[in-house]
Amino acid sequence: MRFNAPPPGEEWGRGEVTEARQAASLILLRDSANGPEVLLVKRNPEQRFMGGVWVFPGGAVHAEDADHAGAAVRELREEAGIALPANAAPVPFSRWITPAEVKVRFDTWFFAARAPDGARATPDGGECVDARWLRPADALDACARDELLLVFPTIKHLEELRRFGSVADLLEAARGRNVEPVQPRVVMREGVAEVLLPGEPGYDDG
């Protein structure tokens, strides 16, 4: 995937590699007549980092968080006003590490969970100013039409999520997977940044 510039508030790193902060995100899902929908929240456009970008609720792990899953649940509650019931343990889904070439970096665990019945997202109005339930394919189509601003990790997750026909199928698959860290790489070609995933041509070059 090619970019003429980094996402809002991000900068390509110069010199030493920045240490990645621990973070967590919650992929909240609900079934619909046309397949699973996922909750996306819009970050406040006035924020310097990732302003205006649509993301899964999430953020940095705090000292008071029990673990990464606890941080993801807290962020969901703070950013979208949705509390998961105690018996709805989030399922580890993936782990992504920001490319070394980016200045602001996170080591993020993504967790998947079923939304409580009747859950309504209420953005906090500070960090997040809007929220939508969307089928993954619809979110990707909206991004292609420049109606939603998405970043690379969100796009790649939505591409995977759209394969599932129900929340149950997705969670079952997540419970059976071995989560391995994914660290994309940014390669500059003729002044344009190309983000590569491990295994793609050019990832291991120089």
Side-chain angles (χ1 to χ4, degrees), residues 111-156:
F111 296 85
R114 181 187 295 275
D117 291 341
R120 296 183 62 182
T122 305
D124 64 3
E127 278 192 80
C128 300
V129 296
D130 199 359
R132 295 184 193 177
W133 291 97
L134 292 165
R135 292 190 312 145
D138 291 338
L140 291 168
D141 289 344
C143 178
R145 296 191 301 267
D146 293 327
E147 295 174 3
L148 286 184
L149 180 57
L150 302 175
V151 290
F152 185 78
T154 308
I155 291 171
K156 303 312 288 185

Side-chain angles (χ1 to χ4, degrees), residues 30-100:
R30 70 182 187 185
D31 285 309
S32 78
N34 297 312
E37 296 177 333
V38 64
L39 178 66
L40 294 176
V41 294
K42 182 180 182 180
R43 289 181 57 82
N44 192 328
E46 296 183 1
Q47 290 183 320
R48 180 180 178 277
F49 180 71
M50 304 280 275
V53 174
W54 289 81
V55 297
F56 307 116
V61 175
H62 294 177
E64 63 269 22
D65 293 322
D67 51 24
H68 286 74
V73 171
R74 173 183 55 76
E75 289 285 345
L76 174 68
R77 184 177 63 251
E78 292 177 353
E79 294 185 351
I82 296 177
L84 287 185
N87 62 351
V91 180
F93 189 79
S94 64
R95 178 187 174 192
W96 280 60
I97 303 173
T98 308

